[in-house]
Amino acid sequence: MRTHRLRFVALISILAFVGIGACLLSGCGDAASGRVLVVLDAGHGGRDPGAVCDGVKEADVNLAITERVAALIEADERLDVERTRTLDIYLTLEDRIAVANDANATLYLSVQTNACEYPDAAGVVTLVSDTIEAGAPSWQFAEILQDAVTDATGARDRGVRAQDLYLHRAEMPAALIEVGFLTNDGERTQLADPDYQQTIAQGIYEGIVAYLEYADPSYAGR
């Protein structure tokens, strides 16, 4: 893990760990099983296809990758997963966040693909709400996730950025990852490839686990 991404303001980090660590230790999301609940959101869907480039629809790519992440999480006995959608259906942003809030989830992650007027634009970027302070759990999650996915894929690292996003409604650490650009010919070909989708999914899964272990070191021994 690249250490420069984990340089947080000490006091903010300590306060942040108290919250997420308590959640993990109490088995937040499924108290009976002690497993941690992750909510995955496949961006767009239904009447909102997202970007469509050369016949490749963003909503379909998002869902395919999310399903692969979900399968990896389901194979980990420490984790539970819930998805905002498993079909090509439309959901409002509020509906998506409500799934996580109502389930008392530990983490929320929206998986999306990017588009740009510049065809050479490429790479992975992870976003957090601009209402979140540096060093807060959402930032920590985003930094670790960004490292894991760029390490797994070898894609250009566009870093972590704050934007005006609906994620501020989430009651748990939340991030949105853009895993590549459909408007880039090379990345579009990769994003439509099941093998590359699996590589992205593996990176996302490893980022989720790395964050949980970072926030609560006892999680690694479960």
Side-chain angles (χ1 to χ4, degrees):
M1 193 66 63
R2 282 166 254 174
T3 57
H4 71 280
R5 293 195 181 281
L6 300 178
R7 293 173 182 167
F8 303 111
V9 178
L11 179 58
I12 295 175
S13 297
I14 291 170
L15 293 174
F17 287 172
V18 170
I20 187 65
C23 183
L24 291 175
L25 289 172
S26 64
C28 186
D30 188 344
S33 68
R35 292 192 295 267
V36 171
L37 176 61
V38 178
V39 169
L40 299 175
D41 171 45
H44 303 280
R47 67 174 187 262
D48 173 21
V52 181
C53 300
D54 198 28
V56 180
K57 187 167 68 172
E58 178 185 354
D60 292 343
V61 174
N62 298 343
L63 183 58
I65 294 170
T66 301
E67 289 295 291
R68 292 176 182 278
V69 179
L72 292 169
I73 291 176
E74 287 170 345
D76 189 329
E77 63 183 12
R78 303 169 297 177
L79 301 176
D80 279 330
V81 63
E82 189 164 341
R83 288 156 285 182
T84 60
R85 69 180 181 95
T86 58
L87 301 171
D88 187 21
I89 60 172
Y90 174 78
L91 293 170
T92 67
L93 300 180
E94 291 79 7
D95 288 340
R96 295 167 190 268
I97 290 295
V99 171
N101 288 343
D102 292 348
N104 192 30
T106 300
L107 292 175
Y108 175 91
L109 177 64
S110 183
V111 177
Q112 307 210 21
T113 43
N114 223 331
C116 180
E117 61 181 312
Y118 302 106
D120 291 337
V124 175
V125 61
T126 303
L127 306 176
V128 297
S129 169
D130 60 6
T131 65
I132 302 299
E133 293 183 348
S138 290
W139 269 100
Q140 297 167 358
F141 177 35
E143 296 274 13
I144 292 172
L145 183 70
Q146 176 73 14
D147 278 352
V149 175
T150 54
D151 285 348
T153 62
R156 176 183 171 186
D157 185 348
R158 302 181 70 92
V160 176
R161 306 178 187 179
Q163 288 189 10
D164 180 10
L165 298 171
Y166 65 98
L167 295 176
H168 74 273
R169 300 182 179 92
E171 297 171 359
M172 70 291 300
L176 183 157
I177 187 165
E178 302 266 13
V179 297
F181 282 76
L182 286 180
T183 44
N184 180 293
D185 290 345
E187 284 199 335
R188 182 173 63 254
T189 298
Q190 288 181 309
L191 291 166
D193 181 352
D195 289 340
Y196 189 70
Q197 292 173 358
Q198 187 65 36
T199 298
I200 294 171
Q202 185 67 37
I204 290 174
Y205 165 73
E206 290 174 359
I208 289 170
V209 171
Y211 170 71
L212 294 173
E213 293 178 350
Y214 178 67
D216 177 8
S218 72
Y219 182 79
R222 293 188 180 186

